[in-house]
Amino acid sequence: MTILYIDGDACPVRDEVYRVADRLGLKVFVVANGSRPIRPTGRPNVSMITVEAGADVADDWIADRVTKADVCITSDIPLASRCLAKGGRALAPNAKVWTHDNIGNALAGREVGRYLREMGVATGGPATLTKQHRSRFLSELDTLVRAAQRG
């Protein structure tokens, strides 16, 4: 059975994920370290997992459990890479589907950005999600879930 994992500390598309999960009868784990409280949804298929504070603790929880039948929703490129390495699927909130073909360049770009920030260069932040992003996210999530269910 396909499970949806949400890297929950700063995920702007939780409601969209819940809608897809409700429609398809999927289990969802929202994993966060508690730095930003997340309200329980009241949905029986959604579990809120609070892990201890620390770098990558939520990522580790997800990466330890994700399987080839699952989808992870994350903007964290290293977590997406770990999910892909286990055969799972990964989708960013902006509807970017992470694949084996694009994750290497994304990891390299992340490191370049980190280096530039250390040098004092402003690299900007994440773009605001538009209605079009949310619509595309829903479409991509549905596509990834169907692929995961087919195996």
Side-chain angles (χ1 to χ4, degrees):
M1 177 177 185
T2 297
I3 297 173
L4 303 178
Y5 292 93
I6 299 176
D7 185 6
D9 282 326
C11 182
V13 290
R14 283 190 294 267
D15 290 336
E16 287 83 353
V17 175
Y18 301 154
R19 285 193 350 232
V20 171
D22 289 347
R23 181 171 46 84
L24 298 176
L26 302 176
K27 179 83 177 144
V28 178
F29 288 102
V30 181
V31 186
N33 67 14
S35 63
R36 296 180 193 161
I38 298 173
R39 291 183 323 225
T41 66
R43 289 174 161 89
N45 61 324
V46 178
S47 298
M48 303 298 188
I49 307 296
T50 302
V51 297
E52 62 186 58
D56 300 327
V57 177
D59 297 356
D60 292 343
W61 194 96
I62 293 169
D64 287 347
R65 289 161 179 81
V66 73
T67 71
K68 65 181 180 175
D70 302 329
V71 179
C72 178
I73 293 82
T74 184
S75 55
D76 185 290
I77 298 167
L79 174 57
S81 178
R82 292 171 70 185
C83 291
L84 291 174
K86 292 196 64 185
R89 290 159 175 81
L91 177 63
N94 67 359
K96 173 81 172 179
V97 177
W98 298 112
T99 67
H100 293 287
D101 291 336
N102 67 18
I103 198 71
N105 284 339
L107 286 166
R110 180 181 180 272
E111 286 305 306
V112 169
R114 183 181 61 78
Y115 175 76
L116 290 172
R117 285 187 298 279
E118 286 175 358
M119 300 300 295
V121 176
T123 59
T128 303
L129 290 183
T130 65
K131 280 185 174 182
Q132 290 81 13
H133 285 122
R134 291 177 188 279
S135 177
R136 204 168 89 233
F137 174 84
L138 284 167
S139 176
E140 294 293 356
L141 180 58
D142 196 64
T143 299
L144 286 178
V145 166
R146 301 277 182 208
Q149 289 174 328
R150 285 191 303 271

